Amino acid sequence: MSKTTTELKSATARGRPDVGPAMLGSEILVTALEREGVDTIFAYPGGASMELHQALTKSKKIRTILPRHEQGGAFAAEGYARARGKAGVCMATSGPGATNLVTAIADAYMDSIPLIALTGQVPQAMIGKGGFQETDFFGVTLPIVKHSYLITDINDIPRIVKEAFYIAQTGRPGPVVIDFPKNIQQQKAQPVWPGEVTVRGYNPDRKADDVALNEIIGLIEKSDRPVLYVGGGIISGNASEELLKFAESTQIPVTTTIMGVGAFPESHPLSLRWLGMHGTAYANWAVSGEFELRKSFNDPMVKLKEGADLLLAFGVRFDDRVTGKVEKFCETGTIVHIDVDASEINKNKPANLPIVSDIRYALARLNEMIRKRPVRKKFTAWHQQITAWKEKAPLRYRLTEEVLKSQHMRDHMGGKSGEVILPQIVIEMLYELTGGDAIITTGVGQHQMWAAQWYQYKFPRQFLSSAGLGAMGYGYPAALGAKVACPDKQVIDIDGDGSFLMNVQELATAHIEKIAAKALILNNQHLGMVVQWEDRFYQGNRGHTYLGDPENMKQVYPDFIAMAKSFNVPAERVMFKRDLRAALQRMLDSDEPYVLDVITPYTEHVLPFIPAGRTIADMIYQR
Ligand SMILES: Cc1ncc(C[n+]2csc(CCOP(=O)(O)OP(=O)(O)O)c2C)c(N)n1
Ligand SMILES: [Mg+2]
């Protein structure tokens, strides 16, 4: 967004200014947060933000949680936001505190998560002088925020905070930075509280017109093979119910992006699960058609079955992890693209019918139209084709030669091949034991893809993962945030050993703050996803992807159990399949944070797999 001018329709305009008693700038900020309904802030103090912490100690409404690393705090705020559906708030001091927030801000930007990042800044007189802990945070974050503010006048605080929440939470949500110089925190003024804000040039309330929506219904009537391809927009737009109604009344099959997992119940007969690089073969075929697997990327593509002739792309952005080679993605289909953010339209893939709209509005209106004039098309042949594809290539795994011959078998299993724990079964079992009801967070890597494949998601805000940015270290802090947001839910971080180690310090936050988020580590002693690419494209040559101790490969390294215990967090390790179920149950039964370290072979690959930038004719899947 460009620089904004604000029109305040404050109480003043109605003749009754809402003026508070004189307070410090820091106190005005905290009061402004309270007025936005903030109940939790993840904040790590320092010289430029301690005034704000002093003010927070006086708040009766806001719980301040001290993370052990600002990145952990910011990921926790994101987890809170994703699980709760309202802005998460994190705070850090200037300089290194602020720069430690950058990864999460970038993550929130990529995945459209409402995040308020507050930072202390050096006093105004010191700005630009390179003083202790000065970083131009406004500048640093400029390309990765929806909007940002540097407070320069104490009287602006109420308006800025109100605008920040408004911008972060409306339209396509995103991160907003508020940088707050220390001298203004220490000034005093009487706050004037705005009633409501509008930001000139910013209109998040976009609604499709009926002509365009009618055209969609016409296209459905004309099509033989329609597919709904839906994403995170359905979740952030709170449109799941409308989507379910629309899919059921039209009988159009639904595939989601990773961001859209949970937007449509995956156990539903119309669900194709998620699509893309590691998505189901049948979702990818339904969108782009089935092709013979070609031996080389230069061979011609040989089509076996037609894919979608109509793609309803709702709240998605045609990410490359979904499309592969974008020209070949749904090459023969008519594309309808609805997004609330006009800049997504025609960005990655041209749409035949582009519509800028709030997705809940559009779906609700479509449902009304369909109620009055039901869709007559039945798509019987199409449903039969999809059933055949589901039977031909379900998600599946088996004990492979690679696993049986692996170092893992020699080092840890003592030849007991029946006892090896494949990562997929851990998640399947977790699904069974939790009745599919848990909120799942993840790190980034193979475990993330398996967590998305082998747990079936049934409600929105159930699967929280760093999708667009792919930030390792996201899982456990995000689980803390989600557990704070939803204390009555079982919240489990399905993590990798590499990813978990990146924010392991947050076990302290979990213990001290009594946040019972669980960490289930699929510990393959490797950066497994990179290993998979090494195996496929670099003849298995290992380029710094082993995480264990090369001098003692029999030892599991590092020792997460000892580490967890040092944080006073109960922990357990499982090596053999016979022990898995009971150990998972103990983890679930714990009312404390808990670490379950499950040792798995590093030789397993995530399938299906469409190599980056390639096509549906290059998809490898388990036969
Ligand atoms: C912060 C960060 N650094 C590097 C990467 C690149 N990367 C993607 S997956 C992966 C391996 C992750 O290993 P682990 O967490 O153990 O998960 P696994 O694949 O073994 O399940 C790496 C290094 C990343 N995504 N994020
Ligand atoms: Mg690993």
Side-chain angles (χ1 to χ4, degrees):
M1 275 179 56
S2 58
K3 197 170 179 340
T4 57
T5 316
T6 305
E7 295 153 12
L8 293 186
K9 287 184 201 148
S10 68
T12 322
R14 300 193 300 271
R16 224 177 1 89
D18 185 1
V19 184
M23 303 183 220
L24 294 169
S26 56
E27 293 166 347
I28 297 175
L29 187 110
V30 169
T31 310
L33 295 178
E34 289 175 345
R35 293 172 70 105
E36 289 303 317
V38 173
D39 55 22
T40 309
I41 178 169
F42 299 88
Y44 201 99
S49 66
M50 56 185 296
E51 294 277 346
L52 295 163
H53 281 264
Q54 289 301 310
L56 279 168
T57 61
K58 293 178 203 136
S59 173
K60 293 194 171 60
K61 295 186 179 143
I62 301 178
R63 173 184 184 188
T64 302
I65 294 178
L66 174 69
R68 265 42 175 190
H69 188 306
E70 289 89 349
Q71 184 183 94
F75 281 155
E78 274 198 89
Y80 176 99
R82 289 195 194 209
R84 179 70 78 83
K86 67 176 205 177
V89 187
C90 59
M91 186 168 98
T93 189
S94 66
T99 55
N100 276 345
L101 300 178
V102 168
T103 304
I105 294 171
D107 185 74
Y109 186 66
M110 289 289 268
D111 285 352
S112 309
I113 305 302
L115 177 73
I116 304 289
L118 287 163
T119 45
Q121 183 52 278
V122 298
Q124 277 170 300
M126 299 288 289
I127 289 179
K129 310 236 179 235
F132 182 63
Q133 294 191 329
E134 184 196 355
T135 300
D136 170 9
F137 199 55
F138 188 95
V140 165
T141 54
L142 206 50
I144 51 166
V145 293
K146 186 171 175 188
H147 199 54
S148 46
Y149 297 91
L150 172 64
I151 297 176
T152 56
D153 182 338
I154 188 168
N155 297 307
D156 288 341
I157 298 171
R159 169 186 61 84
I160 285 177
V161 172
K162 197 152 190 70
E163 271 184 25
F165 277 81
Y166 172 63
I167 292 170
Q169 299 183 124
T170 50
R172 178 184 189 166
V176 177
V177 162
I178 303 177
D179 202 20
F180 194 2
K182 182 165 180 172
N183 64 304
I184 304 180
Q185 298 172 27
Q186 293 166 323
Q187 288 167 9
K188 239 181 187 177
Q190 274 190 284
V192 181
W193 303 108
E196 48 180 276
V197 288
T198 56
V199 181
R200 192 174 291 164
Y202 175 63
N203 174 20
D205 193 22
R206 307 292 295 265
K207 292 195 169 86
D209 65 49
D210 280 2
V211 177
L213 296 175
N214 248 315
E215 210 174 323
I216 296 180
I217 296 179
L219 287 169
I220 294 172
E221 290 283 10
K222 267 194 274 168
S223 99
D224 294 315
R225 299 181 307 279
V227 169
L228 272 156
Y229 148 51
V230 304
I234 301 287
I235 295 175
S236 55
N238 297 314
S240 293
E241 271 176 42
E242 284 76 7
L243 173 67
L244 182 64
K245 210 186 264 175
F246 178 72
E248 287 185 336
S249 61
T250 57
Q251 287 297 303
I252 300 178
V254 184
T255 183
T256 76
T257 64
I258 286 259
M259 280 304 297
V261 162
F264 189 78
E266 293 192 311
S267 51
H268 196 286
L270 286 169
S271 171
L272 299 165
R273 309 285 309 272
W274 50 280
L275 81 171
M277 181 179 275
H278 294 296
T280 61
Y282 44 90
N284 288 321
W285 285 331
V287 170
S288 296
E290 184 184 358
F291 288 77
E292 241 171 52
L293 175 64
R294 46 178 183 179
K295 300 226 162 46
S296 132
F297 297 139
N298 300 320
D299 292 350
M301 292 174 71
V302 181
K303 192 182 272 183
L304 300 173
K305 295 271 160 45
E306 292 292 340
D309 62 356
L310 174 64
L311 190 69
L312 302 178
F314 292 175
V316 292
R317 59 186 182 84
F318 296 87
D319 175 73
D320 63 270
R321 283 318 196 237
V322 163
T323 63
K325 191 181 171 79
V326 71
E327 309 83 73
K328 294 288 168 195
F329 179 74
C330 194
E331 198 180 13
T332 50
T334 299
I335 295 180
V336 177
H337 190 184
I338 307 185
D339 205 286
V340 71
D341 180 358
S343 74
E344 281 302 337
I345 304 286
N346 293 331
K347 186 179 89 179
N348 292 337
K349 179 94 179 167
N352 303 87
L353 177 55
I355 300 172
V356 177
S357 178
D358 173 73
I359 192 63
R360 181 156 72 156
Y361 171 81
L363 279 166
R365 191 76 192 108
L366 281 168
N367 287 335
E368 261 174 66
M369 293 172 166
I370 290 169
R371 191 159 43 86
K372 291 196 193 118
R373 188 162 61 89
V375 172
R376 283 155 308 170
K377 254 314 194 6
K378 290 284 179 280
F379 313 118
T380 316
W382 183 226
H383 287 140
Q384 282 165 356
Q385 177 59 65
I386 284 169
T387 306
W389 277 331
K390 284 182 173 176
E391 281 164 10
K392 177 172 180 173
L395 287 173
R396 61 182 146 200
Y397 58 86
R398 69 177 116 81
L399 200 54
T400 58
E401 275 298 298
E402 286 78 17
V403 171
L404 289 171
K405 286 190 303 208
S406 68
Q407 189 74 32
H408 173 75
M409 289 313 253
R410 289 195 289 282
D411 285 345
H412 303 302
M413 302 309 296
K416 291 192 279 272
S417 60
E419 289 298 332
V420 69
I421 301 178
L422 294 182
Q424 298 93 331
I425 69 160
V426 184
I427 301 161
E428 262 186 321
M429 209 179 269
L430 181 74
Y431 176 68
E432 184 197 324
L433 293 175
T434 54
D437 260 332
I439 292 177
I440 303 292
T441 70
T442 74
V444 172
Q446 292 182 310
H447 65 277
Q448 175 190 31
M449 297 297 110
W450 285 317
Q453 289 180 340
W454 293 96
Y455 204 96
Q456 280 191 51
Y457 299 87
K458 51 184 172 186
F459 54 89
R461 310 191 177 284
Q462 187 182 7
F463 179 70
L464 318 182
S465 193
S466 171
L469 192 68
M472 289 171 67
Y474 176 84
Y476 196 63
L480 294 186
K483 184 70 182 171
V484 170
C486 307
D488 299 331
K489 281 269 174 208
Q490 187 75 258
V491 180
I492 301 152
D493 165 35
I494 298 178
D495 221 332
D497 48 329
S499 295
F500 183 67
L501 193 60
M502 282 204 178
N503 273 317
V504 70
Q505 76 287 338
E506 298 310 326
L507 287 173
T509 315
H511 176 71
I512 301 297
E513 293 283 341
K514 299 190 170 38
I515 305 168
K518 318 282 165 67
L520 172 57
I521 306 170
L522 298 178
N523 188 344
N524 55 11
Q525 296 281 282
H526 281 77
L527 298 171
M529 187 55 96
V530 187
V531 165
Q532 175 166 343
W533 286 45
E534 287 173 345
D535 288 347
R536 295 267 169 196
F537 311 118
Y538 300 90
Q539 294 80 44
N541 185 35
R542 297 282 169 258
H544 321 107
T545 46
Y546 178 55
L547 294 172
D549 177 357
E551 296 189 356
N552 184 2
M553 293 176 78
K554 283 193 162 39
Q555 187 190 39
V556 175
Y557 181 89
D559 185 345
F560 286 125
I561 310 307
M563 213 181 281
K565 294 214 159 131
S566 78
F567 288 106
N568 285 346
V569 170
E572 197 181 340
R573 173 176 300 154
V574 188
M575 187 74 79
F576 302 113
K577 197 153 91 181
R578 59 171 181 256
D579 301 324
L580 182 61
R581 182 176 291 268
L584 280 170
Q585 194 58 57
R586 280 191 289 278
M587 173 188 83
L588 294 172
D589 291 343
S590 168
D591 50 14
E592 283 181 81
Y594 199 95
V595 173
L596 185 61
D597 187 25
V598 182
I599 313 302
T600 58
Y602 63 92
T603 37
E604 193 63 8
H605 283 189
V606 181
L607 294 177
F609 183 24
I610 302 174
R614 300 303 175 183
T615 71
I616 187 73
D618 308 305
M619 178 173 66
I620 311 156
Y621 61 95
Q622 189 73 266
R623 284 159 203 265

